[in-house]
Amino acid sequence: MCNLPPKFHSVCRLCLSFCGDNCSDVKLPIFDRDKDKSRLSEMIMAYLSIMVSPEDMLPQVVCGSCASKLDEFHTFRELSHKSERLLEQFLHYANSLSGPIEVCKHNIDKKKV
């Protein structure tokens, strides 16, 4: 096994920022199952396509800033999926009232002429 600097495991796994013991920024364990941030490993994989494992010998913490960004990605993803569902529902509803959307678009184009 190689000789790693003592601070190696204290850097943020995502941005490499270091936060010592007397730093105001928090270090969140990636695999902490007892806290609200227990989904960090899943979010890292889903949003960044980075595989993390408790056995990979790399730092097992992320800084508060990176955790916040992951939460923002998650919120944006959820909003985008909800918007997509609502748009599809609206389109389905509009089609049920007036026929396929192509017919509606064709009628709009005729009115412009």
Side-chain angles (χ1 to χ4, degrees):
M1 186 171 174
C2 62
N3 293 326
L4 295 173
K7 296 179 180 180
F8 178 79
H9 292 286
S10 297
V11 298
C12 174
R13 173 75 172 255
L14 302 178
C15 73
L16 298 180
S17 66
F18 174 74
C19 192
D21 293 333
N22 53 356
C23 178
S24 61
D25 195 12
V26 294
K27 292 184 286 188
L28 301 167
I30 294 173
F31 300 101
D32 187 0
R33 295 293 175 195
D34 297 329
K35 305 240 180 191
D36 186 35
K37 301 294 183 191
S38 64
R39 303 171 304 144
L40 280 174
S41 61
E42 290 86 6
M43 290 194 302
I44 290 169
M45 180 55 200
Y47 307 134
L48 305 176
S49 299
I50 296 174
M51 253 331 209
V52 292
S53 165
E55 293 84 29
D56 64 16
M57 302 301 292
L58 296 173
Q60 303 288 303
V61 295
V62 296
C63 68
S65 177
C66 287
S68 292
K69 288 176 185 171
L70 286 170
D71 284 336
E72 288 175 27
F73 285 151
H74 178 75
T75 300
F76 180 67
R77 180 178 187 266
E78 294 298 310
L79 173 65
S80 299
H81 283 230
K82 182 180 178 182
S83 297
E84 180 76 8
R85 285 190 306 271
L86 289 172
L87 289 168
E88 287 175 354
Q89 288 173 358
F90 179 78
L91 184 61
H92 178 71
Y93 175 73
N95 284 340
S96 71
L97 292 178
S98 60
I101 194 69
E102 291 79 23
V103 173
C104 295
K105 183 178 183 299
H106 179 70
N107 290 338
I108 292 170
D109 289 341
K110 280 184 180 179
K111 291 177 185 176
K112 287 182 182 178
V113 176

